[in-house]
Amino acid sequence: MVCRFLSLLAGAAALLLPLDTARAQETTWDVSLWGKPRAFTYHVEELAARVERATRGAFKITVHYGGLSKPRQNLEGIAQGQFEMAQFCAGYHPEKNQAITVLELPFLGIESLEQEVSVSRTVYAHPAVQQEMAKWNAVLLMPTPLPQYNLVGRGAPPQDASWFRGKKIRATGGIGRILARFGAEPVSLTAVETRAAFASGEIDAVAFAPHAHFSFDTISLAEWWTANLNPGTVNCPVVVNADALAALPREHREALLAAVDPSLEAYIQNYADIQGKWNVVLEVFEKAVVELPTTVVDTLRRDAPVIVRNDWIAQAREAGLPALALVNLVRTQGAAQ
């Protein structure tokens, strides 16, 4: 009887073992974002869903829109292990991530989101960039490809270069620098801070990608849009905490990395739909669309980018970065697309 009981107990333990092992392999991650679900975060949401499906719920990634950190503090949160994944925009704090701000230089010749992904990944793989991220205990997981920015504003629209003098424009990174060359005062605001500043008259215009004009409702305040400025874009990667990544069970790590490419493909398709909506808006408000004079755009493209690029190279060199190598890497990759 005792032997039979022990045999049954051993059998029961054997049945419980896979369950205990599965529980031991469960993983939960938190992601720090801001604002609300939108095109800008579509790939993160897609990644979380794909990972959970691939692991049958054993690896759950919870996306938080605020609450974990402020947008400008996500790198600190990653460094301190407050959460495992986060998104940040290089232009919010170039002093923290100067190497990847090379991707925010104006007029790089990158014309599609697919090109943006390719060039970003090439830069992310550079040792100088990885070393800079290592200071924050961060590993770059995937880019957030964004199209060319344009301005929306109120009041008299720009008709020539003189319009920019003294105008306060929400613009970060290379976009802000290029506008400053024409006398504008770039104001570095996070996306969530921008609408209130625009509504109050604190700023005269806003430089955003199309989705952000929808998501943060600057479009309802705007009286005009520029259609052909196209000065550049910003770079806002998704990073993971290095220790959390290293601690993942092999199956979960494989599921995470395998989800990156299809998540970016879904993001790009979703953004194509957003771009279609933006084009419809421009058609409806055709009279409010501003085509800047060719002479203004040509001047922006000819002179200012060289000055901004040279300034960036000088600052990056002072920071100990291989500045010229990074610039040439981006220009070569952009030309090769």
Side-chain angles (χ1 to χ4, degrees), residues 322-335:
L324 189 58
L326 288 169
V327 167
N328 288 338
L329 181 63
V330 171
R331 296 178 70 185
T332 301
Q333 285 292 310

Side-chain angles (χ1 to χ4, degrees), residues 203-257:
I203 53 177
D204 301 296
V206 177
F208 266 162
H211 80 274
H213 286 303
F214 286 122
S215 298
F216 297 99
D217 198 30
T218 54
I219 196 170
S220 68
L221 300 173
E223 297 173 351
W224 50 262
W225 300 258
T226 61
N228 65 332
L229 185 58
N230 300 330
T233 188
V234 300
N235 200 264
C236 302
V238 177
V239 292
V240 296
N241 174 276
D243 295 334
L245 183 64
L248 281 178
R250 179 178 56 82
E251 296 83 359
H252 293 181
R253 181 186 177 93
E254 290 176 354
L256 176 69
L257 298 181

Side-chain angles (χ1 to χ4, degrees), residues 110-252:
I110 299 170
E111 298 179 355
S112 71
L113 298 187
E114 289 86 355
Q115 290 176 350
E116 189 72 34
V117 169
S118 177
V119 177
S120 292
R121 281 178 156 171
T122 300
V123 172
Y124 293 175
H126 194 283
V129 174
Q130 295 183 355
Q131 289 168 14
E132 191 171 62
M133 286 294 100
K135 296 177 182 177
W136 301 99
N137 201 28
V139 175
L140 290 154
L141 183 66
M142 59 181 174
T144 303
L146 292 170
Q148 291 290 302
Y149 274 40
N150 268 286
L151 302 181
V152 304
R154 296 195 291 179
Q159 295 298 331
D160 55 44
S162 66
W163 178 90
F164 291 94
R165 294 184 196 131
K167 290 293 190 296
K168 293 183 178 180
I169 303 175
R170 185 276 177 192
T172 63
I175 298 170
R177 292 185 181 194
I178 203 82
L179 296 178
R181 296 299 309 175
F182 279 78
E185 297 180 23
V187 181
S188 180
L189 296 171
T190 65
V192 294
E193 297 168 327
T194 298
R195 190 185 191 281
F198 193 30
S200 69
E202 179 184 339
I203 53 177
D204 301 296
V206 177
F208 266 162
H211 80 274
H213 286 303
F214 286 122
S215 298
F216 297 99
D217 198 30
T218 54
I219 196 170
S220 68
L221 300 173
E223 297 173 351
W224 50 262
W225 300 258
T226 61
N228 65 332
L229 185 58
N230 300 330
T233 188
V234 300
N235 200 264
C236 302
V238 177
V239 292
V240 296
N241 174 276
D243 295 334
L245 183 64
L248 281 178
R250 179 178 56 82
E251 296 83 359
H252 293 181

Side-chain angles (χ1 to χ4, degrees), residues 2 4 8 23 45 49 60 63-64 69 72 129 141-142 152 171 180 186 194 232-233 260-261 268 288 314 318 334:
V2 172
R4 185 183 177 193
L8 290 171
R23 284 175 178 164
E45 297 275 6
K60 296 182 179 180
V63 180
H64 300 264
S69 176
R72 295 181 191 271
V129 174
L141 183 66
M142 59 181 174
V152 304
T194 298
T233 188
V260 170
D261 283 350
I268 290 172
E318 287 182 8

